[in-house]
DNA sequence: CCGCATCCCGATAGATACTG
DNA sequence: CAGTATCTATCGGGATGCGG
């Protein structure tokens, strides 16, 4: 598909960003990319996130049908989150973001060494 | 490059998102993807952005070496912005975001029609 | 273990007016 | 035309405590 530079595409980009907005959503999706995870494991995996934010961000993602929430009748209760098929369609984007981030960090480190 | 689900990659993703964060940066880059543009044209192209935001977001992008700023000695003065080669490396990501946004909108519209 | 409720603060960004 | 300055409203998100 050919993307042209016009308002339609600016809006399309914005639609996507609206769903991924906030400090944590992309990281949550990235963490779920390769496996379902429990709430507490997600919180360990994602450095610095509070339970409140994890909970509310997951709810947003659930509303947008990117993740499913499964309550397990363990004692005490545990909850598993997992990407939906639809959520999986974001995987490629996440991978690109990660690759770019890695390259960017290299570039920054290179600069630091130069000086 | 193989991306694994580990903290390193969550951080890499976050590095990228930090650079693209805020309501407007991605749209600005998208607008500049296929041509350099003047300040006023950018403001027309990007629905709803104020001069203040456009100015400060462009400054951030310039600091991160994603765009260049060129003052033309016209009367009155005009300023052109254009993606750097480094900024161009974000083009693929933007395209993916746009494609996903288009698909997502289709999905949403489908839902609306269903109900 | 999971997650909601409340309180609170700093960052973000909109409106408006002004300048070289 | 391309910004800057100021003022304000809003929002993200941290801390803490409670409840199922």
């Amino acid at each position: 598909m050919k993307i042209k530079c016009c308002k339609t595409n600016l809006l399309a980009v914005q639609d996507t960003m609206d769903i991924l907005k906030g400090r944590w959503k992309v990281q949550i999706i990235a963490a779920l990319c390769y496996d379902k995870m429990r709430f507490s494991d997600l919180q360990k995996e994602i450095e610095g996130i509070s339970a409140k934010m994890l909970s509310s961000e997951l709810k947003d993602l659930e509303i947008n049908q990117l993740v499913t929430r499964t309550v397990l009748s363990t004692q005490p209760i545990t909850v598993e989150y997992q990407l939906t098929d639809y959520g999986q369609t974001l995987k490629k984007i996440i991978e690109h973001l990660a690759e770019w981030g890695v390259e960017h960090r290299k570039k920054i480190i290179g600069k630091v060494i130069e000086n």
Side-chain angles (χ1 to χ4, degrees), chain A:
Chain A
M1 179 177 145
K2 179 68 181 160
I3 302 289
K4 288 175 205 141
C5 177
C6 64
K7 293 199 185 188
T8 307
N9 283 296
L10 297 200
L11 294 177
V13 169
Q14 201 51 38
D15 287 343
T16 307
M17 293 306 282
D18 279 347
I19 284 173
L20 300 180
K21 84 171 169 221
R23 184 168 159 192
W24 303 110
K25 293 210 183 61
V26 178
Q27 279 196 72
I28 293 172
I29 297 171
L32 289 172
C33 257
Y34 289 88
D35 224 335
K36 60 192 170 193
M37 291 183 76
R38 292 188 310 161
F39 188 90
S40 50
D41 291 334
L42 274 171
Q43 201 178 354
K44 279 173 214 148
E45 185 77 10
I46 301 171
E47 186 100 2
I49 194 169
S50 66
K52 171 191 161 186
M53 288 314 298
L54 182 52
S55 174
S56 74
E57 300 282 79
L58 281 167
K59 200 177 291 176
D60 287 349
L61 294 174
E62 201 189 346
I63 288 170
N64 284 312
Q65 303 181 43
L66 297 173
V67 307
T68 54
R69 178 177 182 277
T70 312
V71 180
L72 305 178
S73 349
T74 48
Q75 191 49 258
I77 282 176
T78 55
V79 183
E80 265 181 8
Y81 291 89
Q82 125 170 258
L83 281 189
T84 60
D85 290 344
Y86 188 46
Q88 299 276 348
T89 62
L90 283 169
K91 222 162 122 173
K92 271 219 180 77
I93 289 175
I94 302 283
E95 284 174 1
H96 280 108
L97 290 172
E99 284 177 31
W100 198 90
V102 169
E103 293 305 314
H104 181 68
R105 182 163 292 191
K106 275 188 208 160
K107 186 183 161 86
I108 299 297
I109 291 171
K111 287 235 165 285
V112 171
I113 291 169
E114 274 172 32
N115 299 335

